[in-house]
Amino acid sequence: MNGNIGCIITAVIAMKNSRQMLTSILKTTQIGQASIRFALKGSMRPSLRKVLESQLQEYDAIENEVYAIGSQRGWELPEPFTASGIIAAALTRAKFSRSNTDSRIANMMIQSNTKGLIRGLVDLHQFNSNDSQINTVSQKLLDCETANIRQMQQFL
């Protein structure tokens, strides 16, 4: 009996509220943006550049939607995660230092999107709310990550 109560308490503590979900979505979009912006500094085929620029616009749109939802609710959301951006850029730089081929860029982007997809799914499972705005923007991010992975596959 005591074990069950502990599990219930742990489950309740692990749940995310709407503001935490928005913050997590924001962080994921900003890491994606930082990675793409850094990747765009390298040389690549025009077709890959066009896909990355399109993905950047999608992340920008989701980020703007997150800030709009936060603003509507009177929430002050964190400014861009510069530390996360620096980390993403450093990881990207390290991965590119060996070679700067389209395949390497696509590989790195697939890995990054996969991490974002996993993080988003974990967050969604920890979000126990019928908040339609948060659920919608969360699903947009998951769809974006999934589409990004598919788009990058052709460049491997």
Side-chain angles (χ1 to χ4, degrees):
M1 185 76 127
N2 287 341
N4 289 339
I5 293 172
C7 290
I8 292 170
I9 291 170
T10 302
V12 170
I13 292 170
M15 289 294 165
K16 289 188 179 279
N17 64 36
S18 295
R19 190 174 187 161
Q20 291 168 325
M21 278 295 291
L22 269 186
T23 300
S24 183
I25 294 165
L26 182 62
K27 183 176 181 179
T28 300
T29 61
Q30 292 172 344
I31 290 171
Q33 291 167 329
S35 296
I36 291 173
R37 285 188 178 109
F38 187 83
L40 287 170
K41 293 178 182 180
S43 88
M44 65 190 74
R45 287 188 299 191
S47 56
L48 176 56
R49 182 172 299 281
K50 184 176 179 180
V51 170
L52 288 173
E53 288 170 346
S54 174
Q55 290 178 1
L56 182 59
Q57 289 176 348
E58 290 177 71
Y59 280 127
D60 288 342
I62 294 169
E63 179 187 41
N64 289 336
E65 187 172 347
V66 166
Y67 277 121
I69 292 168
S71 178
Q72 290 169 358
R73 296 175 183 203
W75 297 341
E76 187 174 321
L77 296 174
E79 288 302 312
F81 289 90
T82 54
S84 297
I86 290 168
I87 291 167
L91 290 173
T92 304
R93 186 171 29 260
K95 289 179 181 183
F96 285 161
S97 66
R98 288 176 249 144
S99 83
N100 195 10
T101 65
D102 290 356
S103 178
R104 177 149 313 277
I105 293 168
N107 184 341
M108 188 266 315
M109 298 311 271
I110 288 170
Q111 289 178 24
S112 181
N113 280 283
T114 300
K115 288 177 186 174
L117 182 62
I118 292 168
R119 177 79 262 153
L121 287 169
V122 168
D123 285 346
L124 200 54
H125 289 255
Q126 293 176 347
F127 182 57
N128 190 16
S129 175
N130 290 326
D131 189 326
S132 63
Q133 280 186 304
I134 304 298
N135 286 325
T136 298
V137 74
S138 180
Q139 190 60 52
K140 279 183 186 178
L141 180 59
L142 292 173
D143 293 344
C144 175
E145 301 282 13
T146 302
N148 291 352
I149 292 167
R150 276 195 307 273
Q151 291 170 354
M152 287 293 111
Q153 289 174 350
Q154 68 181 311
F155 299 104
L156 289 175

